[in-house]
Structure formats: C-alpha cells, structure tokens
Amino acid sequence: MNNRRNRKTITFDGWIVYGGVKIEICNAQKYGVYKEIVISFIKQLDAAISIHKRVLVLRLDFHMNYYTETNYKFSKFMKNITQWLNRQYGIKNVGYQWVREQERAKKQHYHLALILDGDLIQYPSKINEIFREKWLPNGSMYIPDNCFYRINKHNLKELRESVIYRVSYMAKSRGKQYRPAQTKDYYSTRLKAKT
C-alpha cells in the first residue's frame, strides 16, 4: 500500500522492491516510510560496496541545542567531517545519508548513516569521540547500541540486509513534516558505483 506526501512515496509494507529484489525494511505501519529515502541509502551502500573491499557503516544521532529553519549547521558539520576523514585517514569516498526530524521537541535532531572504507577504519570508537567533540558547540551526539557494521565479501548478503533494515528506520514519515517547505528532510551523498 502506497501514499504520497511531499513528492515522496510512503509505503506501509514491511518490504521494498529494489533491483527486482524484495528487501525487508523496518516499518511502523501506522506511519509508513518514504521509499525514496530507503532507495537513496541502498544506492549509496551498494556504491560503497563496489568501491571498497570492506565497508564500515556507522549509525549516529545528533541533537541540536536550538531550533534552526535550515540544515546549514548539520550540512557544514558533515562537510567538515568528510574533509577531516580525508586528511586523517585518506578516505576520499565517504558515503552518508542524514534525515532531519522534529516531533514533540522544539528543536530538530538528525539521524546519520555513515559509510566508510572498512580497510582504513575498522572500528569507530576514535572517530565517534572526534565527531562528538566537533558537534558539541551545536548540541549532543548519541551513539546507539551496536552502532556499526563491518561488511565484507563473506558476510555481504546477511549484513547488507541487516544494515538496510536498520537504516530504513530513518525513512519513517513521522517527524519529517515539521520544517519550512524549502528545507530538506533528508540528504544522501552521490557516490558512483565502480564498474
């Protein structure tokens, strides 16, 4: 079952079809999820898998100290993070997707899925602390339990499905409509798959 809102399609199903394959997603059927957000993430994940031998996917949440009508602060933060990752680790192909949400709180928060070269960063503890430090002037950062996945050729099918399921939570329609019309409720990088 599908519905349209903000030029995006809401699905109430527990799965999505991408590339002719049915993929299970995390879907609170009361609210549904935006298909375009899920598909956008899958494209970035698959591009990263085609580029790197191993992929590290990291899930983090960022809360603002104050409300802003735009995503300027978070976009600037992500630009600084990608530059820092390039300088520090030599990572040129950083993939990510963030979503902006605001529900009962008076200020928005962001969910982030970060996709990195798993050969250059194997565990995220050091970068989590750097991210927290860099975000501190804007608010707080929350690190969910089991915040990362390491995908390689041996666990590709199983972990790809697990990552998509977990990150699809970010595509839920709830909380996305409280923003000015011109402000995006999500953003994905544009990594190109290696051919």
Side-chain angles (χ1 to χ4, degrees):
M1 182 174 169
N2 295 322
N3 193 348
R4 292 207 47 92
R5 186 187 305 156
N6 299 324
R7 291 175 282 165
K8 292 189 292 291
T9 307
I10 299 175
T11 181
F12 296 92
D13 298 324
W15 47 268
I16 194 167
V17 175
Y18 176 74
V21 177
K22 196 175 192 178
I23 301 170
E24 187 180 5
I25 58 172
C26 179
N27 192 350
Q29 292 191 354
K30 182 177 178 183
Y31 301 103
V33 299
Y34 289 116
K35 278 182 166 181
E36 291 81 358
I37 296 176
V38 176
I39 289 171
S40 177
F41 174 75
I42 294 171
K43 286 179 180 177
Q44 289 307 283
L45 179 63
D46 288 349
I49 289 168
S50 76
I51 294 167
H52 307 296
K53 289 181 187 173
R54 291 168 195 82
V55 172
L56 180 79
V57 180
L58 181 58
R59 258 285 293 119
L60 300 169
D61 298 325
F62 297 85
H63 297 267
M64 296 284 294
N65 281 335
Y66 46 87
Y67 173 80
T68 61
E69 288 193 350
T70 69
N71 297 313
Y72 175 77
K73 290 280 186 188
F74 197 73
S75 295
K76 184 177 179 186
F77 169 74
M78 289 309 302
K79 183 178 180 181
N80 290 340
I81 287 299
T82 55
Q83 290 171 346
W84 179 83
L85 287 165
N86 188 4
R87 283 192 313 271
Q88 205 63 32
Y89 293 95
I91 300 176
K92 292 181 178 26
N93 294 304
V94 176
Y96 62 85
Q97 181 177 71
W98 57 254
V99 298
R100 173 190 172 122
E101 292 182 357
Q102 183 178 349
E103 294 178 46
R104 294 187 184 104
K106 292 185 168 125
K107 48 200 178 242
Q108 76 270 20
H109 63 273
Y110 296 89
H111 298 292
L112 172 70
L114 185 65
I115 310 166
L116 302 170
D117 182 336
D119 282 333
L120 297 177
I121 299 179
Q122 296 178 10
Y123 295 98
S125 54
K126 180 180 176 185
I127 63 172
N128 281 348
E129 290 313 308
I130 298 295
F131 290 2
R132 188 188 308 272
E133 181 183 308
K134 288 182 178 293
W135 181 249
L136 194 57
N138 301 303
S140 61
M141 185 180 98
Y142 172 71
I143 302 171
D145 291 339
N146 306 311
C147 70
F148 72 97
Y149 297 82
R150 287 186 40 81
I151 300 173
N152 60 48
K153 66 180 180 182
H154 302 293
N155 64 19
L156 175 61
K157 183 179 179 342
E158 172 193 341
L159 281 190
R160 179 180 176 270
E161 290 173 3
S162 295
V163 167
I164 292 169
Y165 181 85
R166 180 153 185 201
V167 173
S168 67
Y169 167 80
M170 292 172 29
K172 68 186 181 296
S173 67
R174 192 183 82 235
K176 304 279 191 304
Q177 61 273 19
Y178 304 108
R179 60 184 170 77
Q182 73 280 6
T183 301
K184 293 181 179 181
D185 55 8
Y186 82 102
Y187 174 82
S188 292
T189 50
R190 292 174 178 85
L191 289 180
K192 299 288 184 210
K194 189 175 177 182
T195 54

